[in-house]
Amino acid sequence: MVQQFIIYGVTESGQRFRPSDWAERLAGVMSQFRPPGMPANRLTYSPYVLPTYIDGVRCVAVDPRLRDLEPLAWNFVVDFARSNKLKTAEVKAPPERPD
């Protein structure tokens, strides 16, 4: 099981976070951070920072391996959540299924 840091698109006071495409914007900014040897592709998200939905709420799932790869990038996403007072959680996620 892989643990993920989830940033929810809901503030601590229960308001929906705006703009509506915040998750894609955040993931887009982080798209350059990839595993060593993985080619950079500006048209795809980093496997470490992915927009998703959880229970109908727009979220960003952050793989904690980002912290080891690039601590400043990890701090950026964590500080983004804190400064915008977004709800966060650490959850266990099943490993990716091979296609």
Side-chain angles (χ1 to χ4, degrees), residues 3-71:
Q3 191 166 358
Q4 292 181 323
F5 179 70
I6 305 295
I7 303 171
Y8 293 92
V10 177
T11 64
E12 294 169 355
S13 65
Q15 300 291 323
R16 189 171 12 165
F17 187 63
R18 297 283 185 193
S20 60
D21 66 344
W22 72 271
E24 290 81 5
R25 290 182 187 200
L26 179 59
V29 168
M30 304 305 292
S31 65
Q32 66 183 326
F33 300 103
R34 299 173 178 278
M38 183 179 189
N41 182 344
R42 291 187 283 178
L43 299 178
T44 60
Y45 296 119
S46 165
Y48 297 127
V49 184
L50 295 170
T52 189
Y53 280 96
I54 298 175
D55 297 328
V57 176
R58 197 70 179 135
C59 302
V60 171
V62 184
D63 189 311
R65 292 177 289 187
L66 178 64
R67 182 179 12 221
D68 297 329
L69 176 71
E70 183 53 63

Side-chain angles (χ1 to χ4, degrees), residues 7 17 22 26 75-84 86:
I7 303 171
F17 187 63
W22 72 271
L26 179 59
N75 290 341
F76 177 81
V77 295
V78 171
D79 288 344
F80 175 86
R82 282 190 192 134
S83 66
N84 288 292
L86 298 176

